[in-house]
Amino acid sequence: MSAVLWTSDEIAAAVDGAASGPAFAVTGLAIDSRSVESGDLFIALKSARDGHDFIPQALAAGAAGSLASRPVLGSSILVEDTLAALVKLGAAARERAGGARRGAVTGSVGKTSVTQAVLDGLKLAGAGHGSVKSFNNHIGVPLTLARMPKTTRRAVFEIGMNHAGEIEPLSHLVRPHAVAVTNVEAVHVENFTDGEAGVAKAKAEVFAGLQKGGAAILNADNRWTGELALLARSAGGEVRTFGDAPGADARMMRFSATSQGAEVESRIDGAPLIFTLRQSAAHWGPMSLCALLMMQALGLDLALAARALSAFEPLAGRGVVRRITAPAGAFTLVDESYNASPVSVSAALRALAARPAKGRRIVALTDMLELGERAPALHAALAQVIDKADINLVFCAGPLMGALRDALPAARLGAWAPTAAELAPLLAAAVAEGDVVMVKGSNASKASLLVEALTALEEAGR
């Protein structure tokens, strides 16, 4: 039986709410009636749809009560604004677990994987808590905090943004003892008049809530690190760096892909440390060092942190490798369908080039989004990376990927289609025995449809 997370009296006191109906206790929190588990508190948020309309479904699914802004069925805590109340509940959870060390991870690329790798380490050390999925915005961060048990010893939170001013209040809410900026790249630049410089300033907002003397973990190989380091120090942070650069606190000495993933040779504060990974893409080298420094800052010894990294499985859509037995023969699928930016696509292409293949190396790409006026040029520029990686065939979908189509030699272009749905059957029909096929794109441009089409070939091959 799950432990009690909050009682209705505790919730009412934390959010300045009024209890309605019989007292209750909850073992979890939910904001989507479809994901409610028995014993949850259902929080009726108002966004595209009004969560109050789904309280009957939540109760039917086993919710113990609800957080609402108007009288509803069942037991509830009534407040004026449910989102504001969720933020208050998150702050109350932080205060009651006052002894817990908290970390926050942001960055243009890799923040979810780093956060989840750190979380695995925290759980291995005992009483660890952290973000699930990509719960990194104005709802996800307070929800993750509010779900934090009072017995938590260490926690890690992913903090994301699309615009300036979004990270700062979340950093103040978390009040981290350590923060990490994985990198700053041309992601979400269409929302910044000063482009990548604006992205760097927005990522630096994570230092706003950093506790004095806390670690600010930065990518030594990123061109914005000098500026970020100045801002971190002015906020009272102690800068720690990772990467290939000489002088990095966690320095990459060697990254070797293996049949099972990779082996990393590093030096942490000058001392040698060798560990393995289940990911073979080269960008996982520096990201693993970022995770190591964060776990160290939260009180884990390096041996335990390295053990956690060695056991960490790739996340769905972020490098999961599958062997698909299809009618035309078995091939390897590398699923990178969760998100895409120029830097992450380039890294994924280099990783594909390093993979052994009995057949062809094929990449299927969908539009990279939120790149502003430079979007067509950035898509076309991938042709150079593809050529250097010696990729055999390129399939691409979306209006922006039309620029890449036009930049590719005819012999290298497998097919282009206006949408991923239209490209999917063309891609599925093209794969052959021994091929290695990587799908790279984003949820918004429906790259997952390409993965679904390829995995469906396994059923046809049985």
Side-chain angles (χ1 to χ4, degrees), residues 291-434:
L292 274 178
L293 289 184
M294 175 59 79
M295 286 187 266
Q296 185 184 50
L298 296 181
L300 271 66
D301 67 73
L302 286 176
L304 182 63
R307 183 150 56 93
L309 282 172
S310 295
F312 180 65
E313 296 280 0
L315 301 176
R318 294 180 174 90
V320 174
V321 179
R322 290 185 57 182
R323 186 160 177 79
I324 306 294
T325 303
F331 66 94
T332 299
L333 169 63
V334 183
D335 180 4
E336 290 273 7
S337 64
Y338 184 78
N339 215 340
S341 67
V343 65
S344 69
V345 172
S346 296
L349 288 167
R350 289 191 293 271
L352 177 59
R355 283 189 175 276
K358 294 180 179 179
R360 302 163 297 176
R361 292 182 181 88
I362 299 173
V363 65
L365 303 169
T366 60
D367 281 353
M368 302 179 292
L369 306 177
E370 298 184 343
L371 296 177
E373 295 178 356
R374 295 183 61 213
L378 290 170
H379 282 74
L382 292 175
Q384 299 175 27
V385 186
I386 288 167
D387 181 63
K388 190 173 291 187
D390 199 24
I391 305 302
N392 299 107
L393 277 180
V394 179
F395 290 77
C396 48
L400 291 172
M401 278 296 168
L404 173 61
R405 171 201 60 199
D406 296 341
L408 289 169
R412 185 163 270 157
L413 179 64
W416 172 86
T419 66
E422 292 167 279
L423 182 67
L426 304 177
L427 174 64
V431 295
E433 184 170 3

Side-chain angles (χ1 to χ4, degrees), residues 11 75 122 165 174 199 207 223 233 264 314 321 340 370 384 414 426 437:
I11 297 167
S75 295
L122 302 190
V174 172
V199 176
F207 306 137
R223 70 191 187 102
R233 291 188 180 105
V264 177
V321 179
E370 298 184 343
Q384 299 175 27
L426 304 177
V437 186

Side-chain angles (χ1 to χ4, degrees), residues 58-373:
L59 294 174
S66 62
L67 182 64
S69 60
R70 61 173 185 255
V72 293
L73 288 173
S75 295
S76 63
I77 305 298
L78 297 176
V79 295
E80 289 188 10
D81 184 320
T82 51
L83 179 57
L86 175 59
V87 172
K88 289 180 180 179
L89 192 61
R94 182 197 66 222
E95 291 305 304
R96 73 175 185 173
R101 292 189 62 79
R102 299 176 298 278
V105 180
T106 192
S108 297
V109 180
K111 57 184 175 292
T112 299
S113 291
V114 168
T115 300
Q116 294 304 314
V118 171
L119 179 55
D120 273 14
L122 302 190
K123 289 180 176 178
L124 195 61
H129 176 74
S131 303
V132 296
K133 299 180 182 178
S134 293
F135 280 26
N136 63 19
N137 64 4
H138 66 293
I139 297 173
V141 173
L143 179 63
T144 302
L145 263 174
R147 285 171 166 170
M148 184 167 66
K150 57 187 174 184
T151 55
T152 299
R153 294 173 58 199
R154 302 176 185 88
V156 62
F157 301 85
E158 179 183 341
I159 301 183
M161 65 88 195
N162 292 311
H163 300 83
E166 293 177 341
I167 288 179
E168 183 173 350
L170 299 178
S171 180
H172 281 302
L173 181 61
V174 172
R175 297 182 188 174
H177 299 89
V179 299
V181 182
T182 59
N183 45 40
V184 174
E185 303 291 348
V187 179
H188 305 307
V189 288
E190 71 174 14
N191 300 324
F192 294 88
T193 56
D194 49 355
E196 208 171 296
V199 176
K201 293 172 189 173
K203 296 300 182 185
E205 293 175 20
V206 77
F207 306 137
L210 179 62
Q211 303 299 285
K212 297 297 179 185
I217 299 163
L218 306 176
N219 189 331
D221 305 323
N222 191 262
R223 70 191 187 102
W224 297 101
T225 292
E227 181 176 328
L228 292 174
L230 288 174
L231 294 171
R233 291 188 180 105
S234 68
E238 178 188 341
V239 173
R240 301 274 285 161
T241 57
F242 64 92
D244 294 326
D249 297 298
R251 188 180 179 194
M252 178 69 55
M253 307 305 293
R254 177 178 58 84
F255 182 92
S256 303
T258 69
S259 60
Q260 302 300 315
E263 182 177 80
V264 177
E265 180 182 345
S266 65
R267 296 188 74 84
I268 313 297
D269 296 317
L273 178 67
I274 298 175
F275 56 94
T276 61
L277 296 172
R278 298 192 180 185
Q279 296 83 6
S280 61
H283 62 272
W284 250 102
M287 290 302 100
S288 67
L289 298 184
C290 178
L292 274 178
L293 289 184
M294 175 59 79
M295 286 187 266
Q296 185 184 50
L298 296 181
L300 271 66
D301 67 73
L302 286 176
L304 182 63
R307 183 150 56 93
L309 282 172
S310 295
F312 180 65
E313 296 280 0
L315 301 176
R318 294 180 174 90
V320 174
V321 179
R322 290 185 57 182
R323 186 160 177 79
I324 306 294
T325 303
F331 66 94
T332 299
L333 169 63
V334 183
D335 180 4
E336 290 273 7
S337 64
Y338 184 78
N339 215 340
S341 67
V343 65
S344 69
V345 172
S346 296
L349 288 167
R350 289 191 293 271
L352 177 59
R355 283 189 175 276
K358 294 180 179 179
R360 302 163 297 176
R361 292 182 181 88
I362 299 173
V363 65
L365 303 169
T366 60
D367 281 353
M368 302 179 292
L369 306 177
E370 298 184 343
L371 296 177
E373 295 178 356

